[in-house]
Amino acid sequence: EEDQQFRSLFQQIAADVSTEMEVTANELKNVLNRVVSKHKDLNTEGFSLECCRSMIALVDMDGTGRLSLQEFRHLWNKIKQWQGIFRHYSSDQAGIINSYEMRNAINDAGFRLNNQLYDIITMRYANEGMNIDFDSFISCLVRLEAMFRAFQAFDQDGMIRLSVLEWLQLTMYA
Ligand SMILES: O=C(O)/C(S)=C/c1c[nH]c2cc(Br)ccc12
Ligand SMILES: [Ca+2]
């Protein structure tokens, strides 16, 4: 049942374009902003095109530059899971979380980082008031998950060995 609902959502998004049944960054932006606008407790200035381009790059497993049904489903399920974590911490504020809650939210999402990484993430994703809004939270976790996955793909006994071009491929298409 839910799968049927999901497929019809995907069809709606991917249907109105010549890009056969794949979701482009612009379509992803439109659907994310349409859904998030229905949730008044999720503070965001909206998902930017740049953020959606990055999210696509991070989950575009077959390198088509667009999201297939299964790539979109993976991203959608992750966002659904992570929005639940975000709301758990943002309920007492206006749809934002502070850097301390960000640390706990990242842990709840299953990532174990160190203090230096939590500080770097706050620097990269928090606003002047050291708070993280919803779209920043989601783009942070999409990147975190994709970078863990990329490392595991190359991992040989806990270390990876990359040529400079392999490194650039990894870091430039993200
Ligand atoms: O309110 C809920 O229970 C759900 S399932 C919310 C969401 C489920 N997928 C989402 C994607 C974005 Br973007 C924002 C909110 C949600
Ligand atoms: Ca793809």
Side-chain angles (χ1 to χ4, degrees):
E1 163 47 27
E2 183 173 334
D3 193 58
Q4 186 42 44
Q5 212 178 7
F6 177 82
R7 282 178 178 280
S8 69
L9 173 76
F10 181 77
Q11 245 109 47
Q12 276 166 40
I13 308 158
D16 61 0
V17 281
S18 60
T19 58
E20 67 276 346
M21 286 303 280
E22 296 237 315
V23 174
T24 63
N26 203 42
E27 287 149 7
L28 180 63
K29 178 171 75 80
N30 293 337
V31 69
L32 289 180
N33 287 326
R34 194 163 10 124
V35 173
V36 79
S37 65
K38 294 195 181 80
H39 296 267
K40 298 305 168 209
D41 56 341
L42 295 173
N43 182 310
T44 172
E45 285 102 35
F47 287 88
S48 67
L49 182 62
E50 189 49 34
C51 164
C52 293
R53 287 171 65 93
S54 183
M55 285 200 279
I56 287 188
L58 292 163
V59 302
D60 179 24
M61 295 297 106
D62 56 6
T64 58
R66 292 176 177 135
L67 298 187
S68 61
L69 177 71
Q70 53 273 32
E71 291 165 341
F72 180 71
R73 189 203 313 272
H74 168 81
L75 178 64
W76 191 252
N77 289 339
K78 282 291 170 189
I79 293 176
K80 187 172 173 180
Q81 175 200 342
W82 293 335
Q83 66 83 34
I85 295 174
F86 184 85
R87 283 173 127 143
H88 171 71
Y89 290 102
S90 68
S91 47
D92 47 346
Q93 286 111 348
I96 50 171
I97 61 176
N98 63 37
S99 55
Y100 178 74
E101 290 161 334
M102 179 64 167
R103 185 181 287 239
N104 293 331
I106 288 173
N107 281 336
D108 290 2
F111 299 102
R112 294 289 172 272
L113 309 179
N114 61 23
N115 289 338
Q116 189 180 10
L117 253 175
Y118 288 122
D119 294 344
I120 285 171
I121 283 174
T122 300
M123 193 161 52
R124 172 61 180 75
Y125 290 98
N127 59 25
E128 301 73 39
M130 297 296 271
N131 291 308
I132 294 108
D133 64 13
F134 179 66
D135 59 282
S136 304
F137 177 76
I138 293 298
S139 47
C140 171
L141 286 181
V142 172
R143 183 174 292 276
L144 197 54
E145 198 232 20
M147 290 303 140
F148 264 101
R149 203 171 350 101
F151 187 92
Q152 279 148 10
F154 286 97
D155 186 359
Q156 290 135 8
D157 60 43
M159 303 299 279
I160 60 176
R161 186 173 167 72
L162 294 175
S163 70
V164 63
L165 291 178
E166 283 170 328
W167 166 260
L168 289 171
Q169 253 176 5
L170 202 61
T171 52
M172 289 308 289
Y173 190 51

